[in-house]
Structures are given as structure tokens and as C-alpha cells.
Amino acid sequence: MLDFFTIFSKGGIVLWCFQGAGVTESFTGPVNALIRSVILQERSGNNSFNHEALSLKYKLDNEFELIFVVGFQKILTLTYVDKFIDDVQLHFRDRYKNELEQKGALKLLNNSFEFQDDFMMLLREAEESSKARSPAHMRSFKESEKSQKTVKSMIETKGGDKGKEQGGKKNKNTKKEGECSSVDASTFSKMFWRKCVQLCLFLSSKKGGAFGGMFGMLKGLVGSKSLSQDDMEPVLEKMRDHLIAKNVAADIASQLCDSVAKKLEGKVMGTFTTVASTVKQALQDSLVQILQPKRRVDILRDVMEAQSQRRPFVITFCGVNGVGKSTNLAKISYWLIENGFTVLIAACDTFRAGAVEQLRTHQRRLNSLHPPEQHGGRPVVQLYEKGYGKDAAGIAMEAIAYARNQAFDVVLVDTAGRMQDNAPLMTALAKLIAVNMPDLVLFVGEALVGNEAVDQLVKFNQALADHSMSDKPRLIDGIVLTKFDTIDDKVGAAISMTYITGQPIVFVGTGQTYNDLRSLNARAVVSALMKA
């Protein structure tokens, strides 16, 4: 039933693995995909992950820095997997701790870890318990309580009590004489120790204010236990509200806090650290990790690589209406010209009145800043346009062909602004990208948006996937965040957009001039985000 089960450290060392009978394919691909897409991207709030035909479940052991991963076919419904992975974790960590204490880390890694027998025993128990669970028998109407009710039993008396209970049912809460209440030993133990702590605190406060204050201060500082969900919940609730106030989408704020809780649960706090500081530091590290995603976009390097292949590097800009696509396209043109490249702008916004004229104005201004006389008599930026009402995909194709013939280094394709719910325009955008296959698809979004950022990016990506002609559709490759100078410290849109796409923020627009284009400083953004 299971395809594989593997246990490895957060440092990447595989401690033990199991592969199901008849399974020939290696499980390194799915596990590496899990690490890249979930664990490294701080998306561990949910403990499941799908990769092609496989469904993966995983569990983090933060005390010993271990990761447990089980994989099985997606079409199977294995109800025992969650309990099984918990049981394996408990058994393995006990063995691991003992071996670590007896042999030391180096000898433990050099020798093979014997866990096969224990694993097979747990697997058999889990499968047998799953088979033993028969489906609940559906009662007939005659067997149900409703059939036993009579009119008399439903008539209320003057005092407000119903008539005598049918069948002489006993109250669940009544106890026989001498019978104990149903409080188990562990609950009683917790209650007992809680009372003891309360008593100690009371006595210490009575003995003297100085001693009581010192005791309280040390109690708040010294970390002596592993973190639990209950410990972190009040802090995480405040962090969640803080992120939402800083413009992070509500769903993403919740997912981030859940991921941090999973990351810290069971971890032993350091000495002289509080729960709040530990959670805040973990959240800060997660946010920095999110803003430095797995794929780094280096446009200058990619343009030079395209030059070596004697073809233009093509960038397509897309986004909703009024976010500043054309303005930021002009800023990127200026940045490319400053780095010694020639640019062809393709005017593929054939809907908005004045779109072509706006690009023509930018072209004139850019050429005045970099006169053709300084570049061998050739303009460094040109505009390719066919007017209004034409097919945008066709214009882009012609512009790319023209750039190849005229030896332009970069083609920047300007597209019409469109709302994510406008199906015809989204289809046209998907067609433009599918037909021309640009090297880079940049989504231009405002730094002012909150929850709307999630909806925009999800639907843009979905439209590109739905209308693609390939098995591996081209989606958004990077983000340009505009109007970043207008938001003060409410920088949450950067987190929302990066978290949704898993793609980097390539540029941020910080003003109205051509120079106002910056790379994103992840630590500065997180610092502003965490500022009270």
C-alpha cells in the first residue's frame, strides 16, 4: 500500500528509508520536490503534499530536527496514515535518542540504523486496525430514538420540565454512591501540579516583594520546556492580527502562523528566551525565506545568454488595469539601456485609448536621454506598433521577428490591463504567451493591495494554465511591485504575492522618474513588516 517511507534530518542526512514491494521508481524526486516547494518555502502549515501521481504526508520533529515522510498513490484512501506516521515518529525518536547517547553522532551516522523490524510491526498494526474498523451500521427508523417518542413525552409541564423520559433513561451525570468522577490520571496530575505552582507563587509573593518580583522575572526568562501549541497560540494570534494590519492577505497570514507553529512545536526553548521572542524570531526567519524564493531572476545574465544565441530576450508584462505596467516598462527600458542593451517596445495594448501614444512619448524621452549620436547613429529604443483593434498575439510575434532581424537585444511586450475575472481578455493573454513563448512573464501589481493580490495572482496563473497549448504551461515568472513609495511600512502585499506564486519580486517601483526602480531588499521589508 505504501510506496515509501523515509526519515532524514533537517540537514539533509537520510537516517532510514523503506520502499514498498514492487515499487521500482526512486522516491528522491517527490521528496526533493517536497523540500523545495514546502519545507524551504516555509509552507509547512498543512502536512500533505501532492507530486504527480503520489500523495505525500510529512511530520516535523523539531526537538531532534527530524523529518518523517510517507508516500502513497494519490488514488488510494489510506485512513491510517496520519496515526501511523505519529506512531513511527514516537518509536523512532526514542531509538534515535538512545543510540545518540550511547554511540555519539559520528558513530551513529557511520553505522546503519536498525529500524526495519519496528517499522514493519507498526505498519502491520496500522493496516490491521484499519481493516478491523467496519463501517457504522445505519439504523432503521424503528431502531432510532425518534421512533420511541410519544406525544406524551413531548408535552411540557407547568414547571417547564418535559414529561418523564421514555424508557427510564438515566442521567449520564448521575453517580452511584462511592463512584469516582471520570477524570483520568493525567488530567488529575496536571490539575495537581497547577495548584502546586499557584501555591508556590502565592507563598513567594507573601514572603517579600523583591523575592516575588525576581521569581516572576526568572519564570518569564528561563526556557525550561518544549513549546506546545497552547503556549504559542496567544502569541500567534497577535502576530496574525499584526500581519493583517500590515496588508498581508488574511488567509496567508493564517497559513504563515500555522507554518511557524508546526516549525516550533516540540522545540525546547533556549535559556533566557520568552515564547513571544522565540515565535517572533521564527516568523521573521520564515518571512525572509519567503521573499528569497527558490528561483532567482537575473535579467542581465539571461539577456547576455540570449545574445550568444543571436536572438532577442523577450519579456511580457501583464496585470490588472491602472497598476503602472507601461510606466514600469519604460523604467526597465531605461535600466537596460543604462546597462548597454538595445530595446524594442512592442505595443500590444490595442484596447486602451492613448496606450500607443504613451509608449511613443516614453520612446522619445528615452532616446533624448541616450541620443543616437552616442550609439553609432542608431536609436537605443524603438517602438513597434500597429495601431488599435488588432490581434495582440500577432503584433508580438511580428515584433519579435523584427527584433531578430534588426539585432535588438531585448523585446518588451506591453499588454492591455485586464481584470482577473474577464474571461475573453484572460484567454487573449494566455494565447499571446502560448504562441510567442517569452523568456520572462512579469506580473505588475500594486503594493497597496491586500487580499486582492491573492485573487489576482491565482486567477492569472489559472487562466494561463487553462488556455495553454502545452503540458507544462507558462505561468508568471516574477513580480514587479509598483507604488512601493506610497505604503510606508504596510509592505504585506510583497509577502502575499511571493507566497502565492513562489516566484521572486524582480523590481519595486519607488517613484515617478526613470531612476525610481529598485531591487527588493528582503530583510528591510521584513524589518518594516515586523515593526510595531
Side-chain angles (χ1 to χ4, degrees), residues 92 96 203 250 301 307 359 386 391 396 500:
F92 185 87
Y96 182 70
L203 290 174
R301 182 197 62 193
Q307 275 182 327
L359 292 175
K386 291 289 181 179
D391 177 41
I500 283 295

Side-chain angles (χ1 to χ4, degrees), residues 516-529:
D516 294 327
L517 194 70
R518 301 284 182 272
S519 297
L520 186 76
N521 185 331
R523 295 200 176 274
V525 169
V526 171
S527 177
L529 194 66

Side-chain angles (χ1 to χ4, degrees), residues 200-220:
C200 289
L201 288 170
F202 174 75
L203 290 174
S204 65
S205 64
K206 287 290 182 185
K207 284 181 182 178
F211 180 78
M214 182 64 71
F215 184 87
M217 184 182 74
L218 289 173
K219 180 176 174 288

Side-chain angles (χ1 to χ4, degrees), residues 391-411:
D391 177 41
I395 295 173
M397 185 181 287
E398 291 174 21
I400 294 167
Y402 179 80
R404 187 179 285 109
N405 294 332
Q406 298 297 317
F408 279 93
D409 298 320
V410 185
V411 179

Side-chain angles (χ1 to χ4, degrees), residues 269-300:
M269 286 171 58
T271 308
F272 296 102
T273 56
T274 61
V275 175
S277 64
T278 304
V279 172
K280 186 176 179 181
Q281 186 59 50
L283 181 60
Q284 197 162 324
D285 294 342
S286 296
L287 293 170
V288 171
Q289 189 68 40
I290 287 165
L291 288 173
Q292 296 171 338
K294 54 194 175 190
R295 182 174 181 271
R296 184 171 177 268
V297 176
D298 190 337
I299 293 176
L300 298 180

Side-chain angles (χ1 to χ4, degrees), residues 21-33:
V23 178
T24 55
E25 292 183 9
S26 171
F27 56 81
T28 53
V31 173
N32 284 336

